[in-house]
Amino acid sequence: MNSSSQEITYQSRSNLAFTLSVLPGQRRKDMIDFYAFCRVIDDIADHPERAAEQKRMALDTWKQAAEAGFPGEDWLYPQLRRISQRHAVPTELFCEIIDGVSRDIEPASYDTFDDLLGYCYQVASAVGLVSIRIFGCGDDENARHYAINLGYALQLTNIMRDVGEDIDNDGRCYLPNDILGQFGVTRDELREHCHTPAFTEMMHHLHLQASTFYDRAAARIHPSFHRRLIAAEMMASTYRRILNRMQADGYRVFDRRYGLSKLEKAGIFVRSWVRSKWIAPFPRD
């Protein structure tokens, strides 16, 4: 593990960072390096002072490196090369993540819900497909479906939570046109932070969609993989609780940012840790 990777991971204060401590030795180190990769390319796309063309060039450099197997000794390349080789991570998964992040360089616009899921696959499901390999699930079919569906669920939860922040950030709106049209919600209303009955109804519809993906993911957990997926399940528990909190609060996403307290996160950690002691051990590193 690169010391810079660890610094990037834990300074991010993301919900993912607190889940990684349940992983054993080398798998934890590999996830920290992989998360550092995700954080670095995401920061390129979101950098407020870089021109769009500069961002594209920087991400193109990363994609070329991924396609070549991360050659050379740049600070993160050796770690990513070892992760790819050790866990048989397909090159295209790294490229999918980079392509997904590239779509955030300019304000997003999606015509259909399926178009949005295509974006969610790149920025979340592909991350999950790399992660399950690091967790020790290999290329198991159930684990793949688990990662894809959980990625959809997590990203939809993020999109719902961040509607107000995104629309204030260069007019970004990830909500697809067909969903906006179905419920009669306009982008102007989003820009004005209008919390109308139609907006609430639309958010409830998206809540049901996200909940369905959480359920589909859970249904794909093979008993032998329960412990290997503990970190992922901690993420699922965290974000599903955020999703349900938004619902219970009437989706006041323009007024507040939903999250969990340190105490609530500690509770999820403790329950997951205790549960992990009663199920099959992790595979050896």
Side-chain angles (χ1 to χ4, degrees), residues 96-97 100 103 110 113-128 147-159 174 176 213:
E96 287 277 16
I97 297 167
R103 297 168 77 172
Y110 300 99
F113 187 70
D114 284 344
D115 291 338
L116 176 61
L117 290 184
Y119 166 78
C120 293
Y121 175 86
Q122 290 182 310
V123 298
S125 297
V127 172
I148 292 169
N149 282 290
L150 183 57
Y152 291 154
L154 296 176
Q155 194 63 28
L156 286 174
T157 303
N158 269 332
I159 288 169
Y174 293 93
F213 286 122

Side-chain angles (χ1 to χ4, degrees), residues 15 35 44 55 102 159 163 168 186 202 210 222 241 263 269:
N15 287 316
Y35 178 77
I44 291 172
K55 295 177 181 181
S102 297
I159 288 169
V163 167
D168 291 341
T186 68
M202 177 187 68
H222 191 278
R241 188 173 296 186
L263 183 60
F269 175 85

